[in-house]
Amino acid sequence: MLISLLVSIVVYLLLNSRFSAIRMASQLLEQFAESETRYKSLFELSPEAVIIHRQGQVLLVNKAAQHLLGAESPGLLIARNVLDFVHPDSKAEVLARMKESSDKPLPFTEEKLVRLDGTDFLAEVTSAAIHFEGKPATQVLFRDISSEQAARYEAQISRAVFKHTHEPMMVTDAKGQIILVNAAFTQVTGYESLDVQHENASILSSGYHDESFYLAMWDELKAEGQWEGEITNRRKNGEIYIQRAHMSAIKGFQNQVTHYICVMSDITEQKRELESIRFQALHDPLTHLPNRILFISEVKKAISSAKNNKQQCAVLFIDLDGFKPVNDNYGHLVGDKLLKALAKKLSGAVKHDDMVSRVGGDEFLVLLRNIDDEHGAMTVAERLIALVKEPLLIDGISLHLGASIGGAIYPDHALNELELIDLADQAMYQVKRTDKGRAHLCTPVNRANTIITE
């Protein structure tokens, strides 16, 4: 009876242990099944291409790998050797990595792979040892980086161009803080990279432009994404220079401006040459006074302004009396010095807005932009006659001259610049014929006959 009881207890314990073992095994199988299901889901949904192989034979591929290798179905890839998809240039490296055994993923490397249609592409690849279906296997992850490589090459080229170009270049953030400058920038501005880094681009400002200029520039840059124009800036040593600048906005996420790039060129010398040419074309080479071309242009502007503002302007034509004997007696060098000294005196005797021009050997024109009446014009003319009469000491020689002046007023005597100058010229010659050394204005009556009145 005791033996029967002991047997019953042993059988009971054995049965209980088995049931526990079965229960535990069932739980482990359920967990494994859940884990495998999750793995397969991640495997299929992974944006990275994944291949599982054992000793080189492909066991499983996901959709990303199938697509990247150009296979219409996984069956075209499974059971093939992974080396079939490796370009000859990369096979030696792949074979060497396959011989390495490690539970940890191998470092990323770049390999050239081949699609089913024979085309190749550059891929970033990593692999790790895993267990698949209860046996050791290798999981390979890879992705196409051909476009990234092209972008890297482009970036390298851009960096080389930025560094070595002879054009000064500057990169700022969206707020105008300087991030990067090249060597040409330093050469032109005198600022080293560390001098301007994190400084606002306004560090170059010369003070030449007002606030409205910069507001208009930024408005166009924001609206159009680019701006091009001339800016007068200041170098580190304080020297003013003129640059031609092309600014472009660089946009990133959601089309938001992230950076601005400015390509510049120093045009200071070009501007100086152009200004010199322009000055020579519009000024008398001896006295540097405006010549007839510039004078006519300014009279036209003065008439337009007078018309709009219901004002008057006048032209005085001056001919020197006694200048020829100076040349005859003392030579042209003394005569030239006399003309230069007289030009300086005449320019200093009129208002800043008025203009004195030399239009002939001893002939000058004066523009009075805003006069009250004929009396105002005559007052200036008489002052100029008195000034010319003052003796001038040239090379130790006291020289005496006189002046005859004719004048015409807009709108009383003429309505356009050429007629106004011509009438002043005729009035001056009438004075020369009748009584030198005086000033006269033409009369508004019968302009065609150029009646002259004191």
Side-chain angles (χ1 to χ4, degrees):
M1 195 172 167
L2 180 60
I3 292 172
S4 298
L5 180 60
L6 289 172
V7 170
S8 299
I9 292 172
V10 170
V11 170
Y12 176 78
L13 290 173
L14 288 172
L15 288 174
N16 271 345
S17 297
R18 186 181 178 191
F19 291 149
S20 297
I22 292 172
R23 198 162 46 243
M24 184 178 297
S26 298
Q27 290 174 352
L28 290 173
L29 286 172
E30 288 176 5
Q31 290 175 7
F32 176 78
E34 290 176 4
S35 176
E36 186 178 26
T37 300
R38 285 195 297 271
Y39 174 79
K40 286 183 177 180
S41 296
L42 293 173
F43 181 84
E44 286 299 330
L45 295 174
S46 171
E48 298 283 326
V50 184
I51 287 179
I52 296 176
H53 71 85
R54 182 176 292 118
Q55 296 180 346
Q57 185 181 37
V58 177
L59 303 175
L60 192 65
V61 298
N62 69 349
K63 290 180 180 179
Q66 176 187 330
H67 174 75
L68 196 52
L69 295 174
E72 294 183 0
S73 65
L76 296 175
L77 304 174
I78 291 174
R80 295 187 61 166
N81 194 298
V82 289
L83 293 177
D84 293 345
F85 310 115
V86 179
H87 191 276
D89 293 348
S90 297
K91 277 190 176 178
E93 180 184 354
V94 172
L95 284 170
R97 286 168 65 90
M98 288 175 67
K99 292 177 181 178
E100 298 181 30
S101 58
S102 175
D103 294 335
K104 296 181 179 180
L106 294 177
F108 281 98
T109 185
E110 293 181 3
E111 299 172 5
K112 189 180 287 188
L113 304 184
V114 181
R115 300 182 182 90
L116 288 180
D117 63 5
T119 59
D120 59 72
F121 62 96
L122 188 67
E124 184 180 63
V125 183
T126 184
S127 60
I130 64 169
H131 274 74
F132 180 75
E133 295 180 342
K135 296 180 182 179
T138 302
Q139 176 176 266
V140 181
L141 281 76
F142 60 102
R143 63 188 184 93
D144 186 354
I145 59 169
S146 302
S147 59
E148 292 180 21
Q149 183 193 43
R152 286 201 301 269
Y153 288 158
E154 185 176 338
Q156 290 172 2
I157 293 170
S158 297
R159 282 195 294 270
V161 170
F162 183 86
K163 182 178 180 180
H164 298 294
T165 182
H166 296 297
E167 295 293 315
M169 299 179 73
M170 172 178 68
V171 179
T172 75
D173 63 16
K175 295 180 179 179
Q177 302 294 315
I178 298 173
I179 297 175
L180 193 63
V181 297
N182 66 350
F185 175 93
T186 299
Q187 186 176 1
V188 169
T189 67
Y191 286 103
E192 297 287 344
S193 178
L194 292 177
D195 293 335
V196 295
Q197 209 153 33
H198 307 305
E199 294 284 348
N200 193 279
S202 61
I203 191 174
L204 300 175
S205 176
S206 64
Y208 178 84
H209 304 286
D210 58 18
E211 185 179 359
S212 63
F213 172 86
Y214 292 107
L215 287 175
M217 181 188 76
W218 281 107
D219 286 345
E220 182 175 338
L221 188 55
K222 290 175 181 177
E224 304 296 332
Q226 58 183 359
W227 179 89
E228 186 170 3
E230 294 179 6
I231 303 179
T232 301
N233 277 339
R234 188 183 301 275
R235 307 186 207 273
K236 186 178 180 180
N237 63 7
E239 180 182 335
I240 298 295
Y241 72 101
I242 304 171
Q243 68 177 37
R244 185 79 185 173
H246 182 91
M247 302 181 187
S248 299
I250 308 300
K251 297 182 178 180
F253 182 66
Q254 294 184 342
N255 210 34
Q256 294 295 312
V257 173
T258 58
H259 298 85
Y260 293 103
I261 184 167
C262 179
V263 181
M264 302 165 272
S265 56
D266 187 349
I267 59 172
T268 308
E269 289 305 316
Q270 297 175 32
K271 294 291 287 186
R272 284 175 180 165
E273 290 176 6
L274 288 173
E275 287 300 320
S276 176
I277 293 171
R278 183 178 183 275
F279 186 89
Q280 292 174 28
L282 298 175
H283 291 79
D284 172 51
L286 176 65
T287 63
H288 295 167
L289 290 176
N291 62 14
R292 182 182 291 272
I293 295 172
L294 181 54
F295 187 82
I296 291 173
S297 174
E298 291 301 314
V299 173
K300 184 175 182 179
K301 293 178 184 177
I303 289 175
S304 176
S305 176
K307 182 179 180 180
N308 293 335
N309 297 298
K310 297 181 179 180
Q311 295 174 336
Q312 293 179 302
C313 62
V315 168
L316 303 179
F317 203 116
I318 304 173
D319 184 81
L320 299 180
D321 299 325
F323 178 73
K324 187 175 182 300
V326 173
N327 275 341
D328 293 343
N329 296 328
Y330 303 107
H332 288 281
L333 183 59
V334 171
D336 287 349
K337 290 180 179 180
L338 176 60
L339 288 173
K340 291 170 70 175
L342 192 57
K344 186 175 182 180
K345 289 182 71 174
L346 290 173
S347 297
V350 299
K351 292 187 297 184
H352 176 73
D353 290 342
D354 295 337
M355 174 181 282
V356 178
S357 167
R358 182 184 178 218
V359 293
D362 60 351
E363 294 178 336
F364 296 83
L365 282 169
V366 179
L367 168 63
L368 306 177
R369 295 183 190 274
N370 183 18
I371 60 171
D372 295 329
D373 49 32
E374 291 185 5
H375 178 72
M378 285 297 293
T379 299
V380 174
E382 290 167 355
R383 185 170 69 247
L384 295 179
I385 289 173
L387 183 146
V388 173
K389 285 182 178 179
E390 296 174 357
L392 282 169
L393 192 64
I394 305 295
D395 290 347
I397 306 169
S398 181
L399 301 174
H400 298 264
L401 297 175
S404 298
I405 299 179
I409 297 174
Y410 168 87
D412 295 346
H413 303 145
L415 300 178
N416 65 70
E417 64 279 7
L418 295 179
E419 186 179 358
L420 198 65
I421 294 170
D422 183 59
L423 287 177
D425 185 13
Q426 292 183 44
M428 181 272 297
Y429 275 106
Q430 182 67 23
V431 173
K432 298 279 282 187
R433 287 193 297 267
T434 57
D435 190 8
K436 291 182 180 181
R438 303 188 69 181
H440 292 269
L441 299 178
C442 71
T443 177
V445 179
N446 193 8
R447 296 178 194 159
N449 294 327
T450 322
I451 297 175
I452 308 299
T453 180
E454 292 190 17

